[in-house]
Amino acid sequence: MLRLLRLLLLLLLLPPPGSPEPPGLATLSPGAPPQAPDLLYADGLRAYSAGAWAPAVALLREALRSLDELGRTRRDCGVRCAAEAALPDAPGPDPPPGAAPGAWERLLLRAALRRAECLSQCAARRLGPGGAARLRVGGAVRDAFRRREPYNYLQRAYYQLKKLDLAAAAAHTFFVANPTHLQMWEDMAKYRRMSGVRPQSFRDLETPPHWAAYDSGLELLGRQEAALALPRLEEALQESLAQVESCRAGCEGPEELQREEEEEEGPGSQGGLYEAIAGHWIRVLQCRQRCVEETATRPGRSFPVPDFLPSQLRRLQEAHAQVGNLSQAVENVLSVLLFYPEDEAAKEALNQYQTQLGEPRPGLGPREDIQRFVLRSLGEKRQLYYAMEHLGTSFKDPDPWTPAAFIPESLREKLREDQEQRPWDHEPPQPKPLTDWKDVLLLEGVTLTQDARQLNGSERAVLDGLLTPAECGVLLQLAKDAAEAGARSGYRGRRSPHTAHEHFEGLTVLKAAQLARAGAVSTQGAKLLLEASERVRTLTQAYFSPERPLHLSFTHLVCRTAVKGEQEQRMDLSHPVHADNCVLDPDTGECWREPPAYTYRDYSGLLYLNDDFQGGDLFFTEPNALTVRAQVRPRCGRLVAFSSGGENPHGVWAVTRGRRCALALWHTWAPEHREQEWTEAKELLQEPGEKEEEEEEGDDEEEDMPSRDPAPEPPGRRPPRGQGKTGKPPRVREEL
């Protein structure tokens, strides 16, 4: 009954049909107490499933508003009650004469009761009867909101209501936090092609204020416009600190908000009263210490911007110095030294500014807001390390600037070992001088056409002569025969996953072998596919990694065909700019080596089969994904090989006529990620006599062959969570 009343209320709040929609997701009921976000969300999904688009929009918007108001209330009440019901200062090591035993303990517990009363009454005034306890949100719903899933439903509902501007904004908001979501990628492309959608419609409705100011300030500073950058950089720092405070307030929420963390941390609350108090307090402190990391993590990313607050102070110092504000530059560089007292660059800059200022300025010191932040953080770290040493709790310090003196001596060695421990396959390669690369013995008939210097980059090369024209013809025929036999390698022969203006066909080595066994394609072509991939692997290892073995990770014969009649005034790419083992962020120039990227890929290769088409050139860019640094024209037998990381962002120009075919390959140093299908394909294509010969070769040669033991399935090959068996198959490979 309550849900029905809520639905009727929200229907009354909807604007009448045909009325203009306010920009963004405006508040439906300004000033009204929030309702339970999880119930609103559930009801919104039910309305969505029933096709009741207007009620679904109302319920989802109210769920977003209520969750936001709940967080704001917790933050505001925390600040107010901290001032009204302050906790007593801890007594010194030597209590004053005549002090009663346990006097401070009674004061502390009494103050805690007053603080609890203040928080409860404040929440009741802001949230209605029951306060925050009535609006508790479960972990699954919190995760859904953190992933911005309500915006996925909102964009579809808005589309059904013909509100394309809001649909595009909701889609963009979801896509920012889920940049590899294939269906949303396709929806975004559709919105861009719609005449009723303006470029400014693609806006992030959830961007935290500190990121908008941060990016704007960095952009202005990069253009040497320090005077314009200063207010934006200062705003970014203030908003970052405010975001940290908001996060810290959330750490003091109801006990169930930390239920999952309690299960991970072990028996924190077992024992008596004081053990329970200590256990909960430790979890609150651990949560608070993670708040800077959360603030420094962009939407859709798994890892934070390193040294987020000190790096902002360094940029503020730099900008103030450029415009001649030396006093403010001194304040900011002194603030940097609070984090890193031995930072040579900061000390040198401080000496320079003080010399330029002339006479000493005794009033100059670090920023007060940063002093408070550092002192408070160090006090919390001291308690957490004490708990580690004496109570056996765990704490992973998120900050690289924590002084070693704060870490108990008994813990330092173990913590140092944990920090220095790195998996072998994640160690970065040692860069080799260009002169060493040129001395590599290449395969017979292969010539180095362009090296990294000629391609304006690092760890990239173009080599010709890996295939003869006859071999290219065999592989082209293999691709054609496989397509006619219905082999689509997961793409179902539909349009390219990257553009609606091209058809896409893909063939894996195992599918080629299976078709050859069935007589649908030539065995010669399937065997040549295996042989060509091994040539590329051998050459890539010899050229880039002679001292460390490379393994094939994935091999794909890919053809793209321009759709006739759809190339007029075409503006998109055949394949957008990306990197192969990390998520490229063009706004910051950073590349995040984290899932869903194929993080185990170390080198990439493209072996081209033809050039009788228009467009389709490969190009390398700067990390901003806009500035083209080099371009390569495909031709038969040409290999473009390069490292798979953020140093080599690349894309493909639109194929505007004809059919472009290439063998795309990725290599890895990690044996557990070697391509098992390659081994299966080779076994399928072997004649009986060949198998007997291999068995007689002995253990020595077996060590050179790919292992036949099953390896763990790469994360990227698992279907995305929440996708049913009948749903659209996800794009599991990035092909060129």
Side-chain angles (χ1 to χ4, degrees):
M1 185 67 182
L2 286 174
R3 288 182 178 175
L4 179 59
L5 290 173
R6 185 186 303 120
L7 180 58
L8 292 173
L9 171 64
L10 291 169
L11 284 172
L12 292 173
L13 292 169
L14 284 172
S19 63
E21 187 76 30
L25 299 182
T27 301
L28 285 178
S29 44
Q35 303 177 63
D38 51 354
L39 296 180
L40 288 166
Y41 185 52
D43 290 346
L45 297 188
R46 290 189 186 95
Y48 177 91
S49 299
W53 308 118
V57 166
L59 288 160
L60 292 170
R61 285 170 53 175
E62 188 63 17
L64 288 165
R65 186 192 76 86
S66 293
L67 190 67
D68 183 65
E69 179 61 25
L70 182 61
R72 188 181 301 110
T73 297
R74 183 170 289 126
R75 181 184 66 242
D76 295 346
C77 289
V79 172
R80 176 180 174 181
C81 293
E84 291 183 3
L87 300 178
D89 294 331
D94 300 318
W104 178 78
E105 177 183 336
R106 288 193 295 274
L107 290 174
L108 174 64
L109 294 176
R110 190 178 301 135
L113 290 173
R114 287 200 301 269
R115 177 78 64 88
E117 180 188 19
C118 176
L119 290 169
S120 177
Q121 291 177 352
C122 178
R125 284 193 300 269
R126 293 276 296 268
L127 305 176
R134 180 177 58 86
L135 304 178
R136 292 172 180 171
V137 181
V141 175
R142 287 199 313 276
D143 289 342
F145 278 78
R146 192 177 297 117
R147 294 191 300 269
R148 301 187 179 183
E149 288 184 6
Y151 289 97
N152 192 4
Y153 296 102
L154 276 170
Q155 67 99 9
R156 293 171 181 270
Y158 275 129
Y159 176 80
Q160 296 293 335
L161 294 169
K162 310 300 182 187
K163 299 180 183 295
L164 299 183
D165 182 66
L166 286 172
H172 182 77
T173 301
F174 176 82
F175 190 66
V176 166
N178 302 273
T180 58
H181 193 281
L182 176 59
Q183 185 59 56
M184 188 57 73
W185 188 92
E186 293 176 348
D187 289 347
M188 292 281 287
K190 292 174 185 174
Y191 286 128
R192 288 193 177 93
R193 293 195 296 270
M194 293 178 184
S195 58
V197 178
R198 303 164 296 166
Q200 55 266 36
S201 300
F202 298 96
R203 59 195 186 279
D204 185 0
L205 303 170
E206 288 275 343
T207 296
H210 67 284
W211 282 121
Y214 179 79
D215 292 336
S216 174
L218 290 189
E219 182 182 356
L220 290 167
L221 198 60
R223 298 205 304 254
Q224 304 300 314
E225 298 180 28
L228 296 175
L230 268 173
R232 299 298 283 158
L233 292 172
E234 184 63 39
E235 180 186 354
L237 181 60
Q238 293 303 319
E239 290 291 351
S240 297
L241 293 172
Q243 186 70 21
V244 170
E245 293 305 311
S246 179
C247 171
R248 289 171 61 88
C251 294
E252 299 177 12
E255 179 76 21
E256 62 269 20
L257 292 182
Q258 282 86 29
R259 183 174 297 170
E260 295 175 2
E261 295 169 10
E262 288 181 39
E263 295 172 355
E264 294 175 4
E265 296 296 336
S269 60
Q270 291 182 3
L273 169 66
Y274 294 100
E275 290 89 341
I277 293 174
H280 184 54
W281 178 238
I282 288 166
R283 285 188 292 275
V284 169
L285 292 179
Q286 290 170 335
C287 176
R288 287 177 175 180
Q289 285 288 300
R290 290 193 296 269
C291 281
V292 173
E293 272 195 342
E294 289 190 19
T295 302
T297 303
R298 289 180 178 275
R301 303 290 182 260
S302 299
F303 296 102
V305 173
D307 246 2
F308 191 50
L309 293 179
S311 68
Q312 292 189 61
L313 292 166
R314 289 189 179 98
R315 291 187 172 100
L316 274 167
Q317 162 219 322
E318 175 188 341
H320 278 298
Q322 287 182 18
V323 300
N325 297 337
L326 295 184
S327 296
Q328 289 88 341
V330 168
E331 286 184 356
N332 284 282
V333 77
L334 285 171
S335 301
V336 172
L337 290 169
L338 291 177
F339 293 97
Y340 295 104
E342 302 304 321
D343 188 303
E344 292 299 330
K347 290 195 288 187
E348 183 179 338
L350 178 61
N351 290 333
Q352 177 186 340
Y353 301 148
Q354 288 175 335
T355 302
Q356 291 176 296
L357 282 170
E359 58 187 42
R361 305 278 181 94
L364 283 181
R367 301 170 57 115
E368 291 185 6
D369 50 3
I370 299 300
Q371 285 190 76
R372 288 194 300 270
F373 171 84
V374 171
L375 288 173
R376 182 179 63 185
S377 183
L378 290 176
E380 292 172 352
K381 291 177 192 293
R382 193 187 294 277
Q383 295 179 63
L384 286 166
Y385 280 120
Y386 180 92
M388 280 186 72
E389 185 179 25
H390 298 285
L391 301 179
T393 60
S394 62
F395 170 53
K396 185 178 180 182
D397 196 332
D399 298 315
W401 54 268
T402 303
F406 275 71
I407 305 174
E409 197 168 336
S410 59
L411 299 175
R412 291 179 195 172
E413 187 61 34
K414 182 180 183 306
L415 292 173
R416 190 180 302 112
E417 290 175 1
D418 291 344
Q419 289 173 356
E420 292 175 354
Q421 227 173 22
R422 300 180 62 182
W424 179 79
D425 60 325
H426 287 161
E427 291 178 5
Q430 297 298 319
K432 298 181 70 63
L434 188 62
T435 53
D436 289 352
W437 290 354
K438 289 185 176 179
D439 294 336
V440 169
L441 177 64
L442 303 180
L443 297 176
E444 184 178 353
V446 174
T447 58
L448 176 63
T449 305
Q450 290 178 288
D451 60 19
R453 180 181 56 81
Q454 294 166 313
L455 290 168
N456 299 316
S458 63
E459 291 207 275
R460 57 179 75 154
V462 176
L463 303 110
D464 284 314
L466 267 77
L467 294 172
T468 66
E471 289 174 326
C472 287
V474 170
L475 291 176
L476 287 168
Q477 188 63 44
L478 172 68
K480 181 181 178 183
D481 293 343
E484 292 175 353
R488 306 299 188 189
S489 291
Y491 294 95
R492 306 195 176 207
R494 292 196 276 196
R495 305 217 174 187
S496 166
H498 310 297
T499 173
H501 304 290
E502 298 173 18
H503 285 297
F504 189 94
E505 298 163 2
L507 181 67
T508 63
V509 289
L510 181 58
K511 188 63 177 180
Q514 292 168 341
L515 291 172
R517 286 290 297 269
V521 302
S522 73
T523 302
Q524 177 194 8
K527 286 185 174 181
L528 180 58
L529 182 61
L530 286 174
E531 183 184 338
S533 65
E534 180 59 20
R535 288 183 201 173
V536 173
R537 187 202 65 80
T538 301
L539 184 58
T540 304
Q541 177 177 311
Y543 192 82
F544 291 110
S545 184
E547 298 170 0
R548 193 172 179 184
L550 280 175
H551 310 277
L552 280 167
S553 173
F554 187 58
T555 308
H556 210 185
L557 177 53
V558 180
C559 293
R560 305 162 184 270
T561 305
V563 178
K564 293 182 179 179
E566 295 193 10
Q567 305 303 316
E568 197 76 24
Q569 297 180 340
R570 180 178 171 185
M571 300 294 290
D572 64 346
L573 297 172
S574 180
H575 195 129
V577 176
H578 65 285
D580 286 342
N581 70 9
C582 52
V583 180
L584 184 66
D585 185 350
D587 294 333
T588 63
E590 295 178 272
C591 206
W592 304 86
R593 193 161 184 175
E594 61 187 48
Y598 302 100
T599 56
Y600 51 85
R601 292 175 176 173
D602 295 299
Y603 286 94
S604 307
L606 299 161
L607 180 57
Y608 296 108
L609 305 183
N610 65 321
D611 62 0
D612 54 340
F613 52 86
Q614 282 186 359
D617 289 6
L618 176 75
F619 61 92
F620 293 96
T621 73
E622 295 281 5
N624 62 13
L626 296 174
T627 308
V628 176
R629 299 287 293 160
Q631 185 165 311
V632 181
R633 177 64 187 169
R635 56 179 288 187
C636 167
R638 169 165 288 176
L639 170 67
V640 183
F642 49 92
S643 57
S644 303
E647 66 279 2
N648 281 316
H650 54 283
V652 179
W653 295 118
V655 178
T656 55
R657 191 175 71 184
R659 186 167 180 255
R660 172 193 188 270
C661 294
L663 189 57
L665 310 100
W666 292 272
H667 311 86
T668 179
W669 283 316
E672 66 270 21
H673 287 299
R674 74 176 84 199
E675 186 175 18
Q676 296 301 306
E677 288 190 359
W678 196 97
T679 306
E680 296 175 33
K682 184 171 183 180
E683 291 176 350
L684 275 177
L685 293 171
Q686 280 180 338
E687 300 295 334
E690 292 176 348
K691 289 185 180 179
E692 292 174 6
E693 289 175 11
E694 277 205 358
E695 290 172 359
E696 295 171 0
E697 286 178 354
D699 296 336
D700 291 340
E701 289 201 11
E702 282 185 7
E703 293 179 1
D704 297 330
M705 295 295 294
S707 168
R708 296 181 185 181
D709 296 331
E713 189 174 352
R717 298 180 65 180
R718 299 177 187 141
R721 179 172 49 188
Q723 193 142 31
K725 295 180 180 179
T726 59
K728 183 174 181 180
R731 175 171 58 88
V732 297
R733 302 290 179 188
E734 291 284 348
E735 321 298 356
L736 282 189

